[in-house]
Amino acid sequence: MLLGAIVLCFLVLLVLITDRAGSRLFHGDSHSVFYRCEACGLRYPRREIADPGLRICPAGHPIALEESHTAAGVVGIFACIGFLGVALVLFIIGVGH
């Protein structure tokens, strides 16, 4: 049972890591790929804004770059690493058999 949990957690960890790496790969090294319009309550990808220098949404409202924040994926990655560490120790000492 513990071996199955280790394998499943490892697969989830791979998915989370590829999700984080994919966002960096496809969006470049930019800190944020979205502009946020508070008046509309919408997010716009950079490619949808014709002139980012004007910082105006398609409806004519002022927009701002979204703030960077800790993503849930990062928390999930560290949770998986922690679980894998504990589970592997338990598996090695024979508790999970």
Side-chain angles (χ1 to χ4, degrees), residues 2-46:
L2 185 61
L3 183 59
I6 291 171
V7 170
L8 180 64
C9 185
F10 181 72
L11 292 175
V12 169
L13 180 63
L14 285 178
V15 168
L16 291 173
I17 289 174
T18 55
D19 178 55
R20 295 293 296 168
S23 66
R24 289 266 187 213
L25 179 67
F26 294 115
H27 296 300
D29 289 332
S30 60
H31 296 293
S32 178
V33 294
F34 289 103
Y35 289 106
R36 176 135 183 96
C37 177
E38 294 296 327
C40 296
L42 297 173
R43 295 168 57 198
Y44 296 99
R46 285 187 177 193

Side-chain angles (χ1 to χ4, degrees), residues 17-86:
I17 289 174
T18 55
D19 178 55
R20 295 293 296 168
S23 66
R24 289 266 187 213
L25 179 67
F26 294 115
H27 296 300
D29 289 332
S30 60
H31 296 293
S32 178
V33 294
F34 289 103
Y35 289 106
R36 176 135 183 96
C37 177
E38 294 296 327
C40 296
L42 297 173
R43 295 168 57 198
Y44 296 99
R46 285 187 177 193
R47 66 181 178 279
E48 288 186 12
I49 304 299
D51 186 8
L54 293 177
R55 302 228 175 172
I56 297 174
C57 79
H61 304 121
I63 57 175
L65 281 172
E66 274 193 332
E67 295 291 326
S68 298
H69 57 279
T70 303
V74 174
V75 175
I77 288 171
F78 284 108
C80 284
I81 290 172
F83 175 79
L84 280 174
V86 171

